[in-house]
Amino acid sequence: MLAGFFSKNKETTRDVKPEGRAMRVIAITNQKGGCGKTTTAINLAACLGELGKKVLLIDLDSQAHATVGLNIDNKKLHRTIFDVLTSSKKKPTELADIIVKGATNVDIAPASIKLATIEQLLAGVPGRDNLLHLKLQPLRERYDLAIIDCPPTIGVLTFNALRACREVIVPIEPSFFSLHGLGKLFETIEMFKDTLDHDISIKALPTIYDKRTCFAREVIKDLVDNHKIDTLKTFIGVNVKLKEAASYGVPISEYDKKSSGYRDYLALAREVIDLEVLKPANTFAALGFENPLEYPVKTNKGVIFAYRDHDAQNVRITGDFNNWSVEGEELNKMGNTGFFRKEISLTPGRYRYKLIVDDEWIRDPSNPRIITSPMGDLSFFEFAE
Ligand SMILES: Nc1ncnc2c1ncn2[C@@H]1O[C@H](COP(=O)(O)OP(=O)(O)OP(=O)(O)O)[C@@H](O)[C@H]1O
Ligand SMILES: [Mg+2]
């Protein structure tokens, strides 16, 4: 019973923007070198930022090309993603401790050459593939998307990216060797899908694509017909401006807006936005909800609470209506939709509450009403008869 802690003294109320959805995590991966992973990670992130999305770009490659490609001098950095992935419980380094500004609406978690040692350092460490996933959790409300630039190897860093993401983009440069080794990558992703309880969507992205050659078209056709791989509608054509932008340490959006490279990556960003894993409005409608964006919703009997999070296992609610019981009341998981919901019968009044998501007490991200109390931010609502 925690009712005493949540006294009504010293409380102030405020409204915040409801956060309708959790951060999407997209890994850009292919073990083939030089196929456009980093170019895609930087420019997709920058174009998503231009379109108003808050993006975290994570450099997971010891070559640190995404870091350098955004003109960040990693030699001057005190800590990088290496420190996040190897931090101890006693002296933790969080992603928030290393993040620097990369471009408009884009922050970057930078890398350095030190990452090259991580494979040996983490060998035999239990849960080593889960480190990035866990470190991303506190940032779920801060960013709309996280884009991970993977190294050209399948090892602990790529495993961390696959564990953390729900979507994979595989850049493919249509060359003689481009399909070689792809089978292994897809096998690895499938293996991960089996060990996780969530699905990963995989999409190929033709890059450095010379539209004039039949060869490029044939490689992509082979990909779709024989490898049954879903290909994005956007193709990234060959454009020397992309190379130049990287050498100046800026994304294409800041280098040349007239270039075909910019047009291609902007089209990709738009396609990625349209690919929202779940369209909340439709899903809410399918579940019979009245208001797709804000919760709780009043019904004739009481109130419906809802929470959306694909990675959550167990969601409970505790508050004034159950005397702040530590166990709370469990929300029902709605199949594979990532939604949890519960209708609670209540009499009219004012109620403060918190959600307990996998043992973490959080405020309700889809409720804009907040009370600041001595115990921190609490969600609240009130309704009359
Ligand atoms: N669409 C494009 N047109 C012209 N050049 C490109 C294009 N995309 C990438 N490049 C160039 O190709 C080279 C390899 O690209 P990039 O570094 O993005 O590949 P990568 O897959 O990240 O490589 P690695 O496997 O080493 O990490 C770079 O010099 C880059 O500037
Ligand atoms: Mg790269």
Side-chain angles (χ1 to χ4, degrees):
M1 302 281 193
L2 297 173
F5 284 121
F6 298 100
S7 75
K8 285 185 180 158
N9 298 330
K10 294 188 203 149
E11 284 183 349
T12 51
T13 66
R14 70 182 197 274
D15 276 14
V16 296
K17 184 172 150 276
E19 288 121 15
R21 62 193 52 175
M23 175 173 69
R24 282 168 72 187
V25 184
I26 305 178
I28 315 288
T29 186
N30 186 343
Q31 79 269 37
K32 187 176 175 304
C35 60
K37 292 183 287 294
T38 304
T39 306
T40 298
I42 290 177
N43 293 302
L44 172 60
C47 289
L48 286 165
E50 275 220 333
L51 294 171
K53 298 286 177 188
K54 288 258 171 233
V55 186
L56 175 63
L57 173 61
I58 301 169
D59 191 347
L60 221 50
D61 185 359
S62 62
Q63 300 179 95
H65 285 167
T67 305
V68 178
L70 284 175
N71 208 17
I72 289 151
D73 183 357
N74 53 13
K75 290 190 196 77
K76 288 196 184 138
L77 295 172
H78 178 49
R79 289 181 287 184
T80 62
I81 191 83
F82 171 86
D83 301 276
V84 174
L85 297 178
T86 55
S87 80
S88 65
K89 269 197 180 139
K90 268 193 190 157
K91 224 178 146 198
T93 301
E94 301 300 333
L95 278 167
D97 300 327
I98 65 154
I99 283 167
V100 285
K101 192 166 166 43
T104 309
N105 281 333
V106 180
D107 288 343
I108 175 164
S112 75
I113 185 70
K114 266 172 119 183
L115 259 193
T117 60
I118 206 159
E119 197 81 41
Q120 281 128 314
L121 275 174
L122 294 180
V125 174
R128 63 186 175 279
D129 297 338
N130 211 20
L131 298 166
L132 182 63
H133 173 70
L134 294 176
K135 292 288 187 182
L136 273 169
Q137 298 318 303
L139 299 180
R140 292 177 67 83
E141 293 189 9
R142 190 155 142 193
Y143 296 99
D144 296 307
L145 293 110
I147 307 284
I148 309 174
D149 184 27
C150 292
T153 46
I154 299 181
V156 72
L157 291 168
T158 298
F159 290 152
N160 265 277
L162 292 177
R163 174 66 189 88
C165 78
R166 299 185 53 79
E167 294 164 76
V168 166
I169 292 179
V170 184
I172 294 176
E173 180 203 1
S175 69
F176 184 66
F177 296 111
S178 57
L179 302 184
H180 181 82
L182 269 189
K184 171 117 197 302
L185 177 66
F186 291 122
E187 241 175 62
T188 310
I189 298 173
E190 288 302 328
M191 179 198 85
F192 255 83
K193 277 162 67 168
D194 290 344
T195 61
L196 299 169
D197 63 350
H198 70 236
D199 202 9
I200 299 179
S201 109
I202 310 168
K203 298 228 183 291
L205 171 71
T207 48
I208 323 179
Y209 185 83
D210 186 348
K211 292 168 195 161
R212 294 164 308 179
T213 66
C214 304
F215 178 68
R217 263 173 278 148
E218 273 164 26
V219 171
I220 299 306
K221 190 170 177 320
D222 184 51
L223 197 67
V224 178
D225 294 351
N226 300 331
H227 291 74
K228 306 278 173 256
I229 295 169
D230 229 1
T231 304
L232 286 155
K233 284 194 217 93
T234 310
F235 286 22
I236 308 296
V238 178
N239 183 221
V240 71
K241 299 282 181 188
L242 290 164
K243 230 185 228 302
E244 287 174 18
S247 69
Y248 284 103
V250 287
I252 192 70
S253 48
E254 287 175 27
Y255 183 68
D256 187 349
K257 282 216 157 89
K258 291 202 186 87
S259 65
S260 62
Y262 174 65
R263 277 200 304 278
D264 288 348
Y265 276 109
L266 192 63
L268 177 65
R270 293 209 166 100
E271 187 177 353
V272 164
I273 290 171
D274 286 347
L275 277 175
E276 285 291 340
V277 178
L278 271 173
K279 299 251 187 270
N282 297 345
T283 316
F284 272 94
L287 294 174
F289 290 153
E290 297 149 31
N291 178 342
L293 291 176
E294 281 190 24
Y295 280 85
V297 172
K298 189 179 178 308
T299 66
N300 345 343
K301 282 194 257 156
V303 171
I304 294 173
F305 295 92
Y307 178 73
R308 177 174 177 241
D309 181 348
H310 278 282
D311 296 321
Q313 302 298 321
N314 182 279
V315 181
R316 284 167 290 146
I317 186 165
T318 184
D320 288 331
F321 37 80
N322 55 18
N323 223 2
W324 292 98
S325 123
V326 177
E327 292 78 35
E329 287 180 54
E330 192 165 347
L331 272 65
N332 305 314
K333 195 170 182 170
M334 311 299 286
N336 292 325
T337 61
F339 286 100
F340 296 78
R341 103 196 258 274
K342 182 161 191 75
E343 184 164 3
I344 295 182
S345 298
L346 290 173
T347 51
R350 183 195 210 198
Y351 297 89
R352 300 161 305 167
Y353 67 101
K354 279 220 156 193
L355 297 176
I356 310 174
V357 178
D358 294 333
D359 294 330
E360 190 188 345
W361 288 44
I362 63 164
R363 68 169 183 81
D364 181 349
S366 48
N367 183 351
R369 287 161 296 273
I370 284 184
I371 282 189
T372 305
S373 78
M375 284 299 291
D377 284 348
L378 309 176
S379 302
F380 85 98
F381 63 93
E382 46 195 333
F383 67 90
E385 195 95 59

